[in-house]
Amino acid sequence: MRIDKYLWCTRYFKTRSIASNAVKKGHVKVNGSAVKPSRDVFPMDKIVVRKNQIDYQLTVLDVPESRVGAKLVDIYRKDTTPKDAFEHSELLQHAKKHYRKKGLGRPTKKDRRDLDDFLDESE
C-alpha cells in the first residue's frame, strides 16, 4: 500500500490529498529517509510523521484493505511517540498565549500589573 494511502487509512490525515501533500513536503519519513507518496509500506517499517509540530513515531504492524474505524487503528500500527513530544507541544501553546505581537500599541493596565508582579517576584 502507498504511504499516503496508509496514513489516510490509519486516520493520521483527514483526506488522502492532505496526506500526499505532507509526504511531498518531506513531513513523512520511512526508515529514516524522506519518501515520495508512491512509496510502498510494509509491516515493521518505521514511520515518522511531523504533524502540528509533533513527530509521531509509528511502526507498521499490518496493512489495512481500506480506511478503518478509529477503534481498529491500533491493529495496524504501533504508536511509539515519546511523551516529551506532547509536553513540548503544550509548552509551545502556553507560550503563544502570552506572546504579544509587535505593533499592538501600549501595554494595557493588566500587562503592566503582570510585569510589576513578575519583577517583584524576581527580587
Side-chain angles (χ1 to χ4, degrees):
M1 176 180 282
R2 294 168 52 112
I3 183 70
D4 59 344
K5 189 173 181 182
Y6 178 80
L7 292 172
W8 170 73
C9 286
T10 55
R11 297 185 170 269
Y12 273 93
F13 292 100
K14 189 173 183 177
T15 64
R16 188 166 165 192
S17 63
I18 295 172
S20 181
N21 287 335
V23 177
K24 286 177 189 175
K25 290 179 181 177
H27 297 291
V28 178
K29 295 183 180 183
V30 177
N31 297 327
S33 62
V35 294
K36 294 181 179 179
S38 62
R39 160 74 154 73
D40 286 332
V41 177
F42 301 103
M44 302 314 294
D45 279 346
K46 306 281 189 212
I47 301 174
V48 177
V49 179
R50 178 132 178 105
K51 184 178 174 189
N52 298 330
Q53 297 182 344
I54 298 175
D55 289 331
Y56 293 95
Q57 298 175 1
L58 317 170
T59 303
V60 179
L61 299 177
D62 197 10
V63 179
E65 293 294 321
S66 62
R67 189 166 167 100
V68 295
K71 293 181 180 179
L72 302 176
V73 170
D74 290 332
I75 297 171
Y76 299 103
R77 58 105 175 128
K78 181 179 178 186
D79 192 357
T80 58
T81 306
K83 303 264 184 199
D84 298 342
F86 296 108
E87 293 172 0
H88 180 68
S89 174
E90 289 179 19
L91 287 174
L92 285 175
Q93 288 177 354
H94 289 301
K96 286 180 182 177
K97 288 180 183 176
H98 296 292
Y99 175 71
R100 184 176 175 86
K101 292 186 179 179
K102 185 175 180 181
L104 288 181
R106 294 177 50 185
T108 63
K109 191 181 277 190
K110 182 180 182 326
D111 290 338
R112 184 183 52 79
R113 288 179 182 153
D114 290 341
L115 283 171
D116 290 342
D117 290 342
F118 177 74
L119 293 174
D120 289 340
E121 289 176 5
S122 64
E123 293 174 359

